[in-house]
Structure formats: structure tokens, C-alpha cells
Amino acid sequence: MSHWTPIARLEDIPRQGARVVASPQGKVAVFRTVDDRVFALLDRCPHKGGPLSEGIVHGARVACPLHNWVIELDSGQAVAPDEGCVRRFDVRLEDGMVAIALAGGPTGR
Amino acid sequence: MSKPKLVLIGNGMAGVRTLEELLKLAPGKYDITVFGAEPHPNYNRILLSPVLAGEKKLEDIILNDEAWYAEHGITLHKGKKVVAIDRVRRCVRTEDGTEAGYDRLLLATGSAPFILPVPGKDLEGVVGFRDIRDVELMLEASEKHRHAVVIGGGLLGLEAANGLKKRGMDVTVVHLLDTLMERQLDKPAAALLQRALEDSGLDFKLEAQTEALLGEGRVRAVRFKDGSEVPADLVVMAVGIRPNIELAKASGIHCERGILVSDTMQTFDPQVYAVGECVQHRGELFGLVAPLFEQAKVCANHLAEFGIARYEGSVTSTKLKVTGIDLFSAGEYQGGAGCEELLFQDPSRGVYKKLVVRDNKVAGAVLYGDTVDGAWYFQMMRDGTDISAFRENILFGQAHMGDSGHGAESHAARLPEDAEVCGCNGVCKKTIVDAIVQKKLFTLDEVRAHTKASASCGSCTGLVEQILQSTLGSDYSVSPAKKPLCKCTDLTHEEVREAVRIQGLKTIPELMGSLGWRTPDGCHACRPALNYYLLCQWPNEYRDDPQSRFINERVHANIQKDGTYSVVPRIWGGVTNPRELRAIADVAEKFQVPCVKITGGQRIDLLGVPKAQLPAIWAELGKHGLMSGHAYGKSLRTVKTCVGKEWCRFGTQDSTTLGIELEKMTWGSWTPAKVKMAVSGCPRNCAEATIKDFGVVAVDSGWELHVGGNGGVKVRATDFLCKVQTDEEVMEYAAAYMQLYREEARYLERTAHWIERVGLPYLQSRIVDDAAGRRALCARFLESQRKAQIDPWAERAQGAEKHEFEPLTPAERKAHACIA
Ligand SMILES: Cc1cc2nc3c(=O)[nH]c(=O)nc-3n(C[C@H](O)[C@H](O)[C@H](O)COP(=O)(O)OP(=O)(O)OC[C@H]3O[C@@H](n4cnc5c(N)ncnc54)[C@H](O)[C@@H]3O)c2cc1C
Ligand code: SF4
Ligand code: FES
């Protein structure tokens, strides 16, 4: 679909790390897990807006650098006991290119 | 390929716990078969006392029902006693001829009540107190008969007596000695206990030696050495236990009083492991579940072939499970040579507390009437906490320690059901109690997992532990002595570090693989710790893993609440000059830094810098010779100094120069937590050296060295380490201190907490008394500094870790760039 915007090659994002990309919806953090899966979340922790892109990525989760809330990368949900949810974006990996569905529409949510 | 076979003999608390631990570590590794002599699945033996007293029902105490065995594919042979082990053919055989082959065998046969070898011991109505059958016999007797005699005034005997009394019998407790529970209590506490039990209706006959049990068919009376008799329709023998070792012995496994095991829980035959009351470890036998559960953990670790855990013995504590009686005992409760005793007595309230202290550490405790602080004393005892700082208040309990947070509410048992226990997660007492009872929880971790209580800030941990204790009425509920590094492992910080050293583990994935981490790549708690431990152990080889560092250390700047960063250049010993100041001012202006602040550590903070600008700012500062001040790291922060004898009319030494030298030696070093230093030129101490991690104070004849100070939430003044003469000595001691801290403190543990944990005398023995050791530590520190002293700002200003500071650009714009 035309909504997909390519943003980086997989190796541009550090394993167990993230990069940030600007979008009309605000900064988006694009994560790469230890087993090379990619996820994208709005770069704003549901707690107090901390930059999730700066957190420690472990499994398919990230720990917010400000107060250590842990967020599920696939759903954007905070791991209990904390409660909250951050907007997620669809991402896909094709031929080593990471593309993200930015503008909303059928592939966004 | 078929799986190796594991056979467990003894379907009791220690054996099944080992299986549970094993299934957590390596599910599906073995084909497991269990033999149990009792016709029941595994149940909580401890709770037989409340069952006898009518406070619980038998079905409440089942720990693993048959469905559990089925779910894990375990073959269970209930009611089948193993009578032979053939170690050559590797198979076991039961009374009825059932056989099972094994690759690994686990013996957990527990123990049996010791029955006094007196005439009449085989009469009907004479029982021990060990299993469900014994309880059933006692209950039957209590319905038909009147008189019960319990022989033995220890823990088990008193619990039996209490239960039978509750069931309406007239009970006499017979004891050989003149005080009850002499293995746990000193005389004053025992006297209080006896009085309380007498008030509840029990009769006592102390210093009485049983000669015979009288009767035909059923027992009728007990006769003593002095000729007196007491009527008895039921006699409970609770005079001690004997490990069940006959089976092991008959198969040639080496036994003394118990089955001998090593620190890996292996018997003399390496295919055969043993845990529980049947074992003898380093000369000791065990009769409480806490140590058995620790053994289970270690044994499971080896059965899973992780091969790193070791059992090194346990410290245990006891509580009596008699409703209405609060009693706690742990460690060397008697005191004696080399010990001091701290006493508190309030006879009218029926409160008695005794702490036995040796070398400023709690060595034992007896509490009667008010046991709220039992868990706290016990924790300090296991941790070897140095109590000198608060010993005058210690008997009044944790609530009087100032910042424990739960002061007066800590009487867990008296808390109303709807009282909120965990403020973070809004959990009230009833939720916790229900979960403990319904889900049969044993440990703090389990309560955390099920209720979230104390899962967040942890300040209610003590209270939750007390609720566990008061609900279960037992001692095994205190959190395990070993605190795992994080949820991804059962290993402690120390065990992980030892494994790194001994197994030569060099990377985080290698470490997690060989130590059986439960998660594929750890979590935000363990990864930074592991990164540090590897860095500390292999200073010249280890390649730092930036993804396992907190953001501040990864980007070498402090993240602020709005996501911007602060920049703090190093200002050696707090001494600067117009050129540096001008450079800083120019940079602040050029980059429009919103806030410039003088810090508490005698330097200048540029606040509010966006991440993308960091490399440019650093490059600019670098041109003027300014480098990273590591104001963001678990590392050396600053060395604060006063002007000293160069300027001050009181100064006796050149504190400024020494401070700068110290900073030059120690900057760039990574440590478990941040380290601050200070040097003052005279005892007026203007540099506030006595609240620093390492403080140096000049005196006429040299320097005083102080350690373990801390400003912050809880101010802690330093401990005086020693006095030295020369600047060179200060440097050597400082380096040795840094290295000892780096090598032995737990990650995130400040020096203050570390010293409270290990005690000042330990530091003195390593740094002051042992000159060769000190020099070796110093040498290791300097060696580790060779590669550490690289300015991270300069590297990044030249393009290192570029991706950290640049956002990605979507492809449309990139595409244009390509064409152009
Ligand atoms: C009434 C009572 C109250 C207690 N209160 C406390 C307390 O408050 N706190 C505390 O910490 N501890 C308490 N204990 C002690 C605790 O219950 C024991 O330490 C613990 O149960 C020992 O575990 P184990 O697995 O070694 O032995 P057990 O739990 O006794 O298990 C051994 C099992 O092996 C079986 N067995 C033996 N030989 C064979 C064989 N040849 N073939 C097949 N099966 C065999 C036995 O039938 C038994 O079921 C109490 C004990 C009792 C009896
Ligand atoms: S500590 Fe002593 S030498 Fe240093 S400034 Fe204060 S008074 Fe002067
Ligand atoms: S802002 Fe993310 S945890 Fe507080």
C-alpha cells in the first residue's frame, strides 16, 4: 500500500535499540529486538512522556528511561502492575528495508 | 531419542520442591518417576499442627494434587515404599516388586520420629507426630478418650499438645529437662512460654524421665523413674527425629547420621543426589523447610546441568505455631563467650527480647510476646549487617529506625483485613491473605507474582513478609536468604560474578546461555549489571555493550525530565581559570543553553541541550581542553576540595593539589554506583569530606581517610578507615578502596550500603592490615584504568556512535539526496 514509508535499512537501527523518525503524529521510535524483529511506537511513554526510544530493549519490551515502566513493543501496552498504552504503528521489514505506516489509513491504527 | 530417567524416592516437601525447581529450569529434560510411601500426593507437613488443632482441614494442605503430576508427565507411585536400590543396574524396587530404572536418582526420604525404647512402646495408642496417619490416629483418640501425654517439650511436642488440648483432651507435657524448647529458647523466654501454656490449660511435668508405658492392648498410663504415674489413653512421642537412611545405607551409599552430601547435593555416588531431612551436609542435619528449599534449588540446578549453584549451609529461625503465642528464635540464642547480650524485658506486657551480638553483628535472637521484628533481625543476621550505628535503638525495633516507612502499622497480625498494605498497587491485607491460603504461596516472590503486593517500590516488603508469617504461622515464609540478581535468574550477584570469573564468561549472551537465563536477552535490571561485571572482570578484553547501559551512560549525558540533556565538563578538583570559564560561557551562548548552574560538586552544568546537539557542544568544549565530567555515570563523579594550606589560614595540607591528583587517577573508572570524593585541608572540613564515598581530611601529621559517606535521602557520615602520612599513601589506599568496591559490591550498591553490609572491619582487614593485598588491589585498579581513561566526548565528537544522535529520515527525502 502506498502508506508504507521506507525509513531505514535494518542495520541502521542497533540491535536491542531504537532510532527516532519524525512524523506528522510526532516523534516515532522504531525498535529492533535481539532477534531482528521491528516495532514502532510513538516516542512518548504513557506515564509522563519519557522518550521510549532511549530505553533498554529486552525481549519484545522496552523499559522507559525515566521511571522504568515496561512497555510491550507489539501492543504498546504497559506491563502490569503499571497501566497505560502508547500508540503503535505498523512496521514491516522487506529485503532489509524497514517501512512504517505513518499517515494512518488502512494499515495504521 | 529417549530422555534420561530421573527417579525420586520420597514424595515429600524437599523432593517435590526439587522437581518444581527443576521443571522451572529445564522442563522436559527428564522422564520423572516418583515413589512415595504415604498414600497421599505431596502435602504441607508443617500444617499438620493447625490441622490437629482444628484450624485447617486436611484438603487445605495438599501442595501438589494428582493433576499436577499428570500435567508434568510425572509417574507417581503413591503408597509404595522403595526397599532396594541396585546401583549397578541403576534401578530401584518397591515392596510389591515394582521396578524403575534411573539415570539420576534423588533421595528425599525425610526422617521418622524417634521412639523411646521403653517397655510398652508398641502398645496401641502410642504414636509419633509426623504424617497424616499420625494425625488421624490422634484425632480418633481425642474422640474416644480423655487423657493424653506428650513426651517431649520441643517445638513439635508443644504443637501436638496444643492441638490435642483444642480437641478437648487433658494433656500433660513431659520433658526431660527443666526448660521447654531448650534448643530454641533461653530460660527467661522458656519460662514465659510455659506460663502462657499453663494458662491455656496444659499440664507440665518437667525433669521427668519416662520409664515405661503401661497397659494391655491399649496404653493406660506412663510411669516415670521416680515411680510416679500419669494416666494416658494416648501417648505422643515427640522427642526427636531420625533421618531415614536405612535404604541408602543398604545400597552402600556413605552415611553417618544422615546421607552425606557435598555442596552440590551429590552423595558419594555421583548419579545419586539427596535433599531434605535425610541428608547430612558439612556435619549438619536439618529439620526445617527453609534450608531444605535452598537445597532443592541447588540440587535442581545441578540436575538441570547448569552446574553452578552451591549449597553452603543455612541459617534458620523458628516460630511456634500455637495460636495466641508469639515466639521467635534464631541463631545463637544462648549467647556465651565472645558475645554480648542486648536485653529488653517488660513482664507486665509479657514481652521479652534478647539479641545476641558478636563483632557488632546479630548472631542470634529470642523474641517472646512481640515478634514483629523477627524477620528484620533475621535478615540482618543472614546479611551480617554491622549494627554499631543503631545498636542503641535496635531492641525497640525497625519502627523506631526513622525511615522504615511503616512504623506503627507493622503489627501485621493485628492489621484489619481492609488495611492497604501495598500503596503502589493498592493491595489490601485480605487480598494477600486469601492468595496465600488459596494459591498456597510460600515465598515473597510468589505473593508478588500473584497479588503484585510489594512488586513495585518494595517499601512494604517487610509487612508482606510478616503477613506471610502470620498467615502460615511458620518460619519458612521469609524470603530466601539468597536474593536473585533479577527475575531472569535464581543466581545472586555474587554467584554470577563467580561464574564469570571461574567459567571465563566474556560476553552477555555467553553468560546468559551458560547460566540458564530464563529470558532470551535479560531485562533492564540485569543487563546493565552484567555489562558492568564483565567490564570489571575483563578490563582489557571486554567490549562494552552500549545497548546494556542506561541511556545516560550510553549517550554520556544526563537525561532530563523533558528529554533534553545536561552537559557537565570536568573541572579538576573544582579549580578552573578564566580561559575555561570563557569557553564555557561562549558555548552556552552559541548553543543557547537555557540554564547554566553551579553544581554541588564544584562544577558547571549546562542544562536543556537537545540530544542531536550534544556532539557539537562537546567538540566545541573539547577545543578548549574540556572533557566529560562523567556527571551521568555509575563512575567517579567529582573530587571536591577546599583551598587548603595554599590560601586558608587554618590549612595544614595542600588539599587542592591532592584532590586534583586523586581525580586524575580515578576519572573514567566504572563503578557499581556513583562515587564522590572530597579532600579537606584541616578538620574544619569545608569540603564536606565526611559525607562522601571517599573522604580525605588533613590533620597535622598527615591525612585521615574516611569511607562510606552519603548525602542524599538518608545522610550517612563516613566511617573512619585509618590515618596515613603521605600523599602517595592516600593515592594507594584510594585506588585499593576503589578496586575492592568495584570487585565486591553489588551493582547499584553505593559504598555506604556496601560497607553496612560487609562491615568496616572487613574493609580494614583488606585495605589497612593487608599491605600486600592493598598493593595488589591498587595495581589492578591502575591496570583497569589504562583503557578506561578515554574521553567519551572526544570520541563522539569525532563521529563515534553517530546513530545515537541522529534521527532517521524517511525515504522520500533520502531519495532526493541520492539523486542530487
Ligand atoms: C507436625 C510438624 C510440624 C512442623 N512444623 C514446621 C515448621 O513450623 N517449620 C518448619 O520449617 N518445619 C516444620 N516441620 C518440619 C518439616 O515438615 C520437615 O522439615 C520437612 O517436611 C522435611 O521434608 P523432607 O522432604 O525431607 O521429608 P518429608 O516431608 O518427611 O518427606 C519424606 C517422604 O519420603 C517418604 N519416604 C521415606 N522413605 C521412603 C521410601 N523408602 N520409599 C518411598 N517413600 C519414602 C516418606 O513417607 C515421606 O512422605 C514440621 C514437621 C512436622 C511433622
Ligand atoms: S577545611 Fe580547613 S583548610 Fe580547608 S578551607 Fe576549611 S578551614 Fe581551610
Ligand atoms: S515517563 Fe516513562 S516511566 Fe515515567
Side-chain angles (χ1 to χ4, degrees):
Chain A
M1 290 278 289
S2 56
H3 302 281
W4 291 106
T5 315
I7 43 166
R9 290 193 319 273
L10 182 63
E11 58 271 24
D12 293 336
I13 307 172
R15 264 208 190 112
Q16 299 172 304
R19 297 286 299 270
V20 176
V21 61
S23 87
Q25 287 91 356
K27 281 187 191 165
V28 175
V30 186
F31 298 90
R32 174 178 173 194
T33 63
V34 73
D35 52 359
D36 286 346
R37 286 179 294 158
V38 286
F39 298 97
L41 300 175
L42 197 64
D43 196 16
R44 280 181 56 82
C45 176
H47 179 217
K48 291 191 175 170
L52 296 175
S53 57
E54 317 283 41
I56 290 185
V57 177
H58 51 100
R61 294 173 166 182
V62 62
C64 175
L66 293 199
H67 317 96
N68 271 332
W69 277 32
V70 177
I71 311 290
E72 299 276 9
L73 295 178
D74 62 350
S75 63
Q77 291 282 355
V79 172
D82 300 318
E83 276 174 28
C85 187
V86 57
R87 170 157 187 189
R88 58 175 294 285
F89 296 84
D90 284 331
V91 254
R92 71 175 181 203
L93 184 60
E94 243 176 46
D95 300 331
M97 271 311 280
V98 180
I100 179 168
L102 277 183
T107 53
R109 223 183 35 187
Chain B
M1 217 180 75
S2 75
K3 293 184 204 165
K5 294 194 277 292
L6 171 66
V7 168
L8 164 63
I9 304 180
N11 187 28
M13 297 191 75
V16 177
R17 179 48 84 100
T18 310
L19 295 185
E20 288 180 336
E21 296 283 353
L22 174 64
L23 292 171
K24 272 196 258 168
L25 294 176
K29 185 174 174 71
Y30 291 97
D31 256 338
I32 305 176
T33 304
V34 178
F35 290 94
E38 294 183 69
H40 307 282
N42 179 37
Y43 61 90
N44 190 342
R45 196 171 303 284
I46 294 177
L47 296 184
L48 287 176
S49 300
V51 168
L52 181 63
E55 292 161 3
K56 280 204 159 64
K57 297 208 190 61
L58 271 182
E59 57 266 30
D60 297 337
I61 69 170
I62 300 297
L63 290 171
N64 304 78
D65 55 16
E66 312 225 354
W68 178 85
Y69 294 86
E71 190 186 316
H72 293 93
I74 298 172
T75 314
L76 171 63
H77 295 287
K78 298 188 297 187
K80 290 200 184 183
K81 184 167 177 184
V82 174
V83 290
I85 303 170
D86 182 338
R87 291 194 295 120
V88 179
R89 282 174 50 228
R90 290 201 190 149
C91 87
V92 304
R93 186 169 36 88
T94 64
E95 270 169 327
D96 70 352
T98 312
E99 292 205 347
Y102 66 82
D103 296 291
R104 293 276 182 282
L105 179 64
L106 176 57
L107 298 174
T109 47
S111 47
F114 179 63
I115 302 293
L116 289 176
V118 291
K121 69 181 167 56
D122 297 321
L123 289 171
E124 196 188 326
V126 180
V127 297
F129 186 18
R130 181 69 194 177
D131 53 24
I132 289 184
R133 208 185 63 101
D134 295 333
V135 172
E136 284 169 348
L137 287 174
M138 285 193 245
L139 291 180
E140 216 181 278
S142 74
E143 278 162 22
K144 296 194 203 133
H145 302 281
R146 177 88 187 274
H147 299 288
V149 168
V150 175
I151 305 182
L155 198 77
L156 227 60
L158 295 180
E159 291 187 3
N162 173 63
L164 293 170
K165 177 82 216 161
K166 290 260 168 72
R167 295 288 181 172
M169 296 189 86
D170 289 343
V171 186
T172 307
V173 177
V174 175
H175 197 47
L176 190 59
L177 301 175
D178 63 343
T179 64
L180 299 175
M181 287 181 68
E182 75 284 349
R183 312 237 326 256
Q184 288 88 15
L185 299 184
D186 61 352
K187 288 207 171 173
L192 283 169
L193 173 66
Q194 186 178 341
R195 210 172 62 207
L197 290 173
E198 277 166 356
D199 288 348
S200 81
L202 291 183
D203 286 328
F204 287 92
K205 191 166 168 58
L206 302 187
E207 297 179 89
Q209 198 172 347
T210 308
E211 193 178 61
L213 308 182
L214 312 176
E216 280 113 48
R218 190 173 186 96
V219 67
R220 168 176 63 74
V222 181
R223 194 176 69 217
F224 302 97
K225 269 262 156 68
D226 64 4
S228 62
E229 285 183 21
V230 174
D233 314 302
L234 173 71
V235 173
V236 180
M237 294 260 195
V239 290
I241 52 174
R242 283 284 158 90
N244 285 327
I245 57 172
E246 295 71 26
L247 179 66
K249 235 182 182 163
S251 64
I253 291 170
H254 189 43
C255 300
E256 284 174 8
R257 288 179 301 149
I259 303 168
L260 287 197
V261 292
S262 64
D263 286 0
T264 56
M265 306 314 296
Q266 261 161 326
T267 66
F268 136 97
D269 174 345
Q271 313 299 329
V272 182
Y273 290 77
V275 292
E277 284 188 349
C278 60
V279 308
Q280 178 178 341
H281 171 264
R282 299 193 185 176
E284 300 233 16
L285 302 176
F286 304 87
L288 293 169
V289 295
L292 309 187
F293 286 179
E294 287 174 36
Q295 295 173 357
K297 240 186 188 151
V298 172
C299 185
N301 187 293
H302 289 277
L303 285 172
E305 293 181 342
F306 290 166
I308 46 160
R310 272 199 286 147
Y311 181 67
E312 298 172 17
S314 304
V315 207
T316 54
S317 67
T318 336
K319 269 195 101 194
L320 184 69
K321 298 190 297 297
V322 172
T323 313
I325 291 188
D326 276 336
L327 186 156
F328 174 92
S329 150
E332 303 174 38
Y333 60 94
Q334 290 287 19
C339 294
E340 298 169 86
E341 290 175 14
L342 308 184
L343 277 181
F344 176 94
Q345 259 169 312
D346 184 346
S348 61
R349 274 203 302 140
V351 174
Y352 171 84
K353 302 185 191 183
K354 172 162 107 178
L355 285 188
V356 177
V357 175
R358 172 181 297 135
D359 299 334
N360 280 320
K361 290 175 186 151
V362 178
V366 182
L367 309 178
Y368 186 91
D370 176 2
T371 54
V372 167
D373 288 299
W376 183 52
Y377 296 139
F378 190 46
Q379 186 71 39
M380 289 192 286
M381 195 173 116
R382 284 179 306 188
D383 293 352
T385 308
D386 187 326
I387 62 160
S388 35
F390 49 95
R391 102 181 228 156
E392 61 272 27
N393 285 327
I394 192 168
L395 278 174
F396 298 110
Q398 196 171 16
H400 292 263
M401 296 302 298
D403 67 346
S404 70
H406 280 287
E409 311 155 45
S410 63
H411 298 250
R414 270 167 258 158
L415 273 183
E417 291 209 318
D418 58 355
E420 187 176 84
V421 172
C422 172
C424 301
N425 298 304
V427 187
C428 66
K429 179 178 164 190
K430 184 169 185 329
T431 314
I432 299 174
V433 171
D434 289 351
I436 294 171
V437 174
Q438 283 157 18
K439 308 215 170 98
K440 305 190 177 64
L441 309 182
F442 272 97
T443 62
L444 182 63
D445 274 349
E446 287 168 342
V447 174
R448 278 189 183 139
H450 281 95
T451 67
K452 292 284 170 288
S454 108
S456 297
C457 80
S459 73
C460 60
T461 303
L463 195 55
V464 175
E465 285 191 336
Q466 284 164 12
I467 292 176
L468 254 166
Q469 267 186 354
S470 68
T471 308
L472 297 170
S474 169
D475 60 311
Y476 63 92
S477 50
V478 289
S479 60
K482 296 184 170 183
K483 288 226 162 82
L485 192 150
C486 74
K487 291 217 175 72
C488 306
T489 179
D490 291 330
L491 301 172
T492 62
H493 287 264
E494 286 74 18
E495 286 170 333
V496 168
R497 291 191 93 162
E498 186 184 283
V500 164
R501 189 169 61 244
I502 291 175
Q503 302 187 18
L505 305 173
K506 302 260 162 97
T507 67
I508 292 179
E510 193 189 340
L511 186 158
M512 289 179 174
S514 89
L515 302 189
W517 236 245
R518 280 197 276 270
T519 45
D521 61 341
C523 70
H524 59 286
C526 59
R527 284 232 308 273
L530 300 184
N531 189 53
Y532 168 73
Y533 290 152
L534 290 165
L535 194 77
C536 181
Q537 182 63 39
W538 317 112
N540 291 322
E541 284 170 73
Y542 181 63
R543 265 202 41 218
D544 191 65
D545 174 16
Q547 302 314 129
S548 295
R549 287 213 181 244
F550 291 125
I551 180 67
N552 290 355
E553 295 187 351
R554 199 162 78 227
V555 300
H556 292 273
N558 244 324
I559 194 165
Q560 305 297 318
K561 66 182 263 194
D562 64 352
T564 65
Y565 289 82
S566 73
V567 170
V568 185
R570 196 165 282 292
I571 294 187
W572 304 99
V575 180
T576 181
N577 55 43
R579 188 178 49 77
E580 281 181 355
L581 289 174
R582 200 170 292 121
I584 293 172
D586 287 345
V587 165
E589 232 166 42
K590 175 167 169 191
F591 290 87
Q592 296 174 3
V593 172
C595 177
V596 181
K597 163 100 181 60
I598 307 285
T599 72
Q602 301 184 333
R603 30 198 201 173
I604 295 173
D605 195 348
L606 306 176
L607 286 148
V609 181
K611 194 180 185 192
Q613 274 187 8
L614 290 171
I617 283 212
W618 294 337
E620 197 75 24
L621 290 168
K623 281 188 206 154
H624 299 90
L626 289 158
M627 59 175 269
S628 166
H630 291 84
Y632 44 78
K634 317 275 172 246
S635 58
L636 178 90
R637 295 285 176 87
T638 61
V639 182
K640 193 169 176 175
T641 64
C642 75
V643 295
K645 92 167 174 200
E646 290 296 285
W647 297 95
C648 176
R649 64 202 164 101
F650 300 112
T652 56
Q653 305 274 359
D654 186 353
S655 48
T656 323
T657 303
L658 181 62
I660 293 172
E661 269 181 51
L662 271 175
E663 191 161 351
K664 296 249 157 160
M665 173 176 78
T666 48
W667 76 270
S669 162
W670 296 109
T671 42
K674 64 185 170 189
V675 173
K676 299 176 176 183
M677 299 191 179
V679 188
S680 285
C682 86
R684 284 173 186 75
N685 192 12
C686 294
E688 297 163 341
T690 46
I691 53 160
K692 299 293 183 231
D693 296 277
F694 187 76
V696 184
V697 178
V699 288
D700 273 342
S701 50
W703 302 98
E704 282 181 2
L705 306 183
H706 298 261
V707 293
N710 200 340
V713 181
K714 191 177 177 195
V715 179
R716 181 183 196 273
T718 42
D719 293 316
F720 172 66
L721 182 73
C722 64
K723 212 178 107 184
V724 298
Q725 315 266 302
T726 64
D727 293 11
E728 291 69 40
E729 282 173 296
V730 176
M731 302 294 280
E732 183 177 302
Y733 280 68
Y737 171 72
M738 283 289 277
Q739 189 64 9
L740 191 64
Y741 173 55
R742 297 180 74 235
E743 289 177 2
E744 298 192 359
R746 297 173 188 157
Y747 190 64
L748 297 186
E749 187 174 46
R750 290 288 302 267
T751 60
H753 298 118
W754 171 56
I755 290 174
E756 280 180 7
R757 179 163 63 83
V758 302
L760 180 68
Y762 173 71
L763 257 74
Q764 286 169 327
S765 76
R766 296 287 307 268
I767 298 172
V768 185
D769 307 339
D770 175 4
R774 175 178 65 243
R775 281 192 290 275
L777 280 167
C778 172
R780 286 206 292 283
F781 180 71
L782 297 179
E783 172 64 20
S784 78
Q785 284 295 78
R786 281 199 305 133
K787 276 206 169 174
Q789 292 195 320
I790 294 165
D791 177 19
W793 288 1
E795 286 184 314
R796 279 157 188 77
Q798 281 156 26
E801 307 284 326
K802 206 163 169 187
H803 66 82
E804 269 303 338
F805 305 97
E806 282 180 354
L808 290 170
T809 31
E812 287 93 309
R813 273 174 273 160
K814 236 186 228 164
H816 291 302
C818 278
I819 295 164

